[in-house]
Amino acid sequence: MISVQHFPVIAVMGLFLCAFLVEIFGAKNKFIRNTIVLIAAAGAFALIASLIKPVLLNGEIISYWMGNWEPVSGYAIGIGYEIDALNMFFALLVVTTILLAAIYSIKYMARDHHLGHYYTLFLMLSGSVLGLVLTGDIFNMFVMIEIMTFASVALTAFRNNKFGALEAGFKYLIIGSIGSSMTLAGIALLYAQCHTLNMAQISAALTNSLTPTTVLAFALMFAGFGVKSYIVPFHAPAAEAYMTAPTSISMVFSGMVNKAGVYGMIRLVYVIFRAMDLAPLQLILATFGTVTMFIGVTMALAQHDFKRLLAFHSISQIGYVITAIGLGTVLGLEAGLFHAMNHTLFKGLLFLTAGAVLYAAGTTDLDKLGGLSKKMPKTTVCFLIGAFSISGLPPFNGFASKWMIYQATYEKAATTGNFAYAFVTIVALVVSVMTLASFIKVTQAVFFGQLPENLKDVREVPLLMRVPMWIMSVLCVLSGVFYNVVEKYLLTPAANAAFNVTNYIDKMMGDGTAAAAGVTNITVDGATLSLWNPILWLVLFAIVLIAVCIVVLTGENTRGRVLAKTENDSEDGKYATFFGGEKSTHSHVAGSDLFWGFKHDFKGYFKFIQGMHSGVVSDYALWAVVATALIVVLMFVFVH
Amino acid sequence: MIIVNYVVAVLLLVLGLYAVCTQKNLIKVVLGLGIIDYGINLLIVSVGFNDGGTAPIFTISDLLNGISSNFFVDPVPQALTLTSIVIGACVDAMALALVIMIYRKYKTVNADEVRRIRG
Amino acid sequence: METITTILTNAFHVLVFPGLLFAAVVGLLLAGLDRKLLARMQRRIGPPLLQPFYDFFKLMGKETIIPHEANRKAFLIAPVLGFVSLIVMMLFIPIFGYSPFSTNADLIVILYLLTIPAVALIVGGSASGSPYAGIGISREMVTMMAYELPLVIVLLTVAKKVGGDELVFSMQKIGDWQAMNGLLISHWSLIPAAIAFLLVIPAEVGTQPFDVAEAETEICEGPLVEYSGAPLAMFKLNTAIKMFVMTALFTFLFLGGIDTGIIALNALIFVAICAVVTVLCMTLIHAITARLKIEHLFKFYWTFVSALAAISLILVWLGL
């Protein structure tokens, strides 16, 4: 029996191997192709899921040296994979997304050509992200980032006859490469200082010895991982790429790829540099997060395209995660991780419904759609669950994680006495309401309202596309209602792993290394929240029952008669919508017609911010460079 | 520690970033991307340099006979640089492929006109 | 045996006092009082005091017509959702010392639950498929965005004032603090916050001058245009209960701490103060103003009312 420590490598290598097998054997034959992809995705899922018991429940750390090159006299000479609870948390998100995206792609991409290439790139993307979150070696992480960038760019530009796909891919490549180059420069400088590439050893070597070289390395790597997580001002290519990529890939992007950036940032700040107790650094991260939140949601309110709107919301929610992580408290880190997990679930669900709409209706333009709930009722239900989750309405998962974030920020404000964190809480709450507004807009523009003439024969999407949507909806509801279970088994071990680095170092480099280097432990007790009272639920159900009975049973019941729609009824009948006595025309209130008052009041702001997103690649590169320079200066001034 | 290497590496990096940020022709932007990569490769190689050292190609018996550690240059940055050169080549190839397709579709390679998605 | 008693007690709390029956009766009474006094201010006789009760029962007996274009399930479920969330909210607001459910984070729960009735109205209007409803929900959403900001700031101010360094969100503790240190409104640094909250109440409830979402003359009742029969009765009931919930929140947050020891007397005083607050902030302003346009409404809330609330927050933060 293969020992459990080989599983991570087998999972990653399996995905890469199947990537090439798909192209060789499956280029022409649909059945072989789908089989190989599903086996790869399911296999990776099974292998990582079997690691839950040792890592999350028993608290072990799995380490694996490639080629069995163990460390020699305290120096790591091989590439090491190390899985602790933090890696495991992100790895679970990654494999779930891969599996659901693979199931969805089978039907969704069925109308495209060159599917062998598509699945190769898809499996390479999956393998590289899984490798990124599982590895313990910093240069391996960089190589995985590069493979991820490649595959992402090729997938963004996959449907190259679609509007804007090529330019989106190009901009993504340029900005992504700038980010990766910054990361590589940082790695080179770190190597110059520590002469090792293993993250555990670097962490031990950097205790209490921050030289200017390492501070510069920190700043450059921070900027590099910031580009990968698409915080403002690195966010512009992400908005375009999510819009033009095929929707199953958009779901992978928003579910896995920017979580990889978040993971990199947590690893960098919490584990390698252990710098999270510095107050200026917390403020810097909180500032980036707040600005990201606000700009993301205000840009989203002005969009006409369904997927671009969802992309900006992705950026805004990652702002929440970065703010929560940047607080440096246990509750903050747990809240950030929980929100990252919920974001994968509900944003993936929303992208899948957008894909369903695109597949069925052929367009994602909010001004051209309308009234689809009558033709696609199941998709509507999934969409509403996703929309209420992201807006943070109880009892879905967005509510629980956003509550934790508000509590974390306001507690931080109270304990440090710094008014800036109270301001962050207020902004977070206002952004939450604006998120709700944005999704009400999409609901009205796409699902409710009047059906346009050209969409009269839209049908519900195939079963294989609905199954991932259902699975994600159920997970959204479950992780919202049973958030206690999630916290105990997933969040607290992960936060523990991020704050207590001794075990991480010891496992890789041999016991005693951490103590010799002077690394100390912090006690992490689980954060306590009390949201629901079970007896309240019971009585609530009783009220709902009474209310439903009142509404449905009283008065004359017109159920039977409405179902028969005849020609006479549609114009002036009792069951037509009220038009004040005039002849009814198609007068659907579409996406751009909503929120007129809000857009009018913020005219100047919208003109400025939409002008800034000019679409020119040099502009986006300029923002990235200026932001990197700013980060470098800030780090030198405050972190030393 | 060769100072000139480091200075030139940073210079190349800055030049490459300048090219990406200000040039309007997409091919020049890709060239700038390449220059950034070369600058960083030079930086990585220079990190591993040991004064008076020779190329790090030895057999086990030579090493076990007790040669001092300063005798050869650090081989790890050389490996990193090779990986990075390959990655740079692939990125350039992909970027140029995208530029060719953009030219076919948009009939121009001016960045100011390749901006259908904006706002 | 224990669980049965607990279930029965909780059922009593939810269904009779201070839950469904109490909230509905007092809400409809307040709505009737509002209409009667408004008429008197406008030199009319006005409807009888119990008119909202008569309306409710009459609407219950009417036919429910669901238009072709509507999404049936969302159309029918929307009023129920709003109703349920309002009842739950009512359970968290103590009536002067009597609070059946009190947790550590009541204020945040209330803040969250306050968005649900508005969302229920929006979903119901959207589901009806009418263009009038489309414009109505757009305005309702912008109104919600407008008043959330000052509301959030006021609640955070109260939490900081009562807790000091520790931030108290529990309603029971707010009541206890007021019993010891005097009513919150008597602390001068919280008066701007109280005024801001009073100005938020008409927008939440949807009375003039902030009822642009349901402008009868322009968009025919907005989101409610296609509703009839029992769902419409439920929406009207929701509005009435919301009146009571908002004034109850104000009364407890700023004038809480009064406790005579007898529950019935407490409840009576509570309802009386709620009635006074209703007349003050809803009827009076309704009688003397016209309807604001949506962009003016938004600007009003995000400049004037938020500034008032922010002044209070800064004063409290500085320790005054």
Side-chain angles (χ1 to χ4, degrees), chain A residues 378-391:
Chain A
K378 305 186 181 76
T379 312
T380 312
V381 170
C382 293
F383 174 79
L384 282 176
I385 292 181
F388 291 149
S389 298
I390 195 174
S391 321

Side-chain angles (χ1 to χ4, degrees), chain A residues 16 22 89 92 104 124-125 175 204 210 237 250 278 322-323 338 405 499 505 542 583 586 606 610:
Chain A
F16 280 133
V22 155
F89 181 81
L92 278 175
Y104 190 83
M124 273 178 63
L125 177 62
I175 310 297
L210 282 182
S250 294
L278 292 170
I322 298 285
T323 312
F338 195 21
I405 295 181
F499 274 103
I505 301 179
K583 190 169 160 61
H586 179 72
F606 276 119
Q610 287 190 297

Side-chain angles (χ1 to χ4, degrees), chain A residues 139 146 150 160 163-164 167 170 173-174 177 181 184 191-192 240 299 303 308 613-616 618 621 625, chain B residues 17 20-21 23 26 29 40 47 74 76-77 80 84 87 90-91 95 99 101 105-106 114-119:
Chain A
F139 191 72
E146 284 292 346
F150 258 38
N160 53 8
F163 179 80
E167 66 175 276
F170 186 74
L173 183 61
I174 300 290
S177 291
S181 308
L184 185 59
Y191 182 80
E240 306 190 1
M299 278 301 289
Q303 294 302 323
R308 197 163 150 88
H613 286 77
S614 61
V616 180
S618 327
V625 170
Chain B
L17 283 173
V20 171
C21 294
Q23 294 304 318
L26 288 184
V29 169
I40 295 190
V47 161
D74 199 343
V76 173
L80 301 186
S84 177
I87 294 178
C90 292
V91 168
V99 170
M101 289 293 299
K105 278 212 142 270
Y106 290 66
V114 177
R115 48 185 286 249
R116 287 187 194 168
I117 308 182
R118 57 176 180 270

Side-chain angles (χ1 to χ4, degrees), chain A residues 1-7 10 47 50:
Chain A
M1 194 55 223
I2 310 179
S3 135
V4 100
Q5 66 174 12
H6 296 283
F7 284 176
I10 298 180
L47 287 170
S50 65

Side-chain angles (χ1 to χ4, degrees), chain A residues 411-424:
Chain A
E411 262 179 27
K412 180 96 185 156
T415 48
T416 58
N418 195 342
F419 185 70
Y421 292 108
F423 182 68
V424 166

Side-chain angles (χ1 to χ4, degrees), chain A residues 374 392 444 535 558 578 595 601, chain C residues 10 64 70 112 138 226 295:
Chain A
K374 302 206 82 64
Q444 160 69 18
I535 300 194
T558 59
F578 175 66
F595 304 149
D601 275 336
Chain C
N10 284 330
T64 308
Y112 256 104
S138 162
E226 297 293 339
E295 65 262 29

Side-chain angles (χ1 to χ4, degrees), chain A residues 47-226:
Chain A
L47 287 170
I48 299 293
S50 65
L51 289 176
I52 292 182
K53 188 162 181 309
V55 176
L56 284 177
L57 296 180
N58 294 347
E60 298 171 15
I61 301 184
I62 298 180
S63 76
Y64 179 84
W65 292 97
M66 296 273 208
N68 239 354
W69 287 98
E70 300 268 341
V72 166
S73 62
Y75 268 86
I77 48 176
I79 298 180
Y81 270 46
E82 181 160 8
I83 326 284
D84 66 354
L86 187 63
N87 299 56
M88 198 58 205
F89 181 81
F90 282 100
L92 278 175
L93 291 181
V94 168
V95 289
T96 316
T97 315
I98 297 174
L99 186 60
L100 291 174
I103 300 178
Y104 190 83
S105 305
I106 295 180
K107 268 296 178 191
Y108 182 73
M109 298 295 295
R111 297 178 189 154
D112 289 74
H113 305 291
H114 300 297
L115 283 180
H117 302 174
Y118 171 82
Y119 283 113
T120 306
L121 290 165
F122 174 72
L123 286 175
M124 273 178 63
L125 177 62
S126 322
S128 65
V129 178
L130 191 58
L132 210 167
V133 300
L134 290 180
T135 185
D137 180 283
I138 210 167
F139 191 72
N140 201 350
M141 206 189 253
F142 168 73
V143 171
M144 293 296 176
I145 291 180
E146 284 292 346
I147 304 179
M148 184 175 86
T149 310
F150 258 38
S152 308
V153 169
L155 283 170
T156 308
F158 187 74
R159 289 180 168 166
N160 53 8
N161 55 340
K162 197 164 153 11
F163 179 80
L166 288 167
E167 66 175 276
F170 186 74
K171 291 174 206 172
Y172 195 79
L173 183 61
I174 300 290
I175 310 297
S177 291
I178 293 182
S180 319
S181 308
M182 295 298 149
T183 316
L184 185 59
I187 293 175
L189 292 173
L190 259 189
Y191 182 80
Q193 184 71 31
C194 309
H195 295 296
T196 175
L197 288 173
N198 189 303
M199 287 201 279
Q201 195 184 345
I202 296 178
S203 176
L206 280 180
T207 327
N208 297 333
S209 63
L210 282 182
T211 64
T213 319
T214 47
V215 173
L216 181 60
F218 178 62
L220 286 174
M221 287 177 72
F222 185 89
F225 285 120

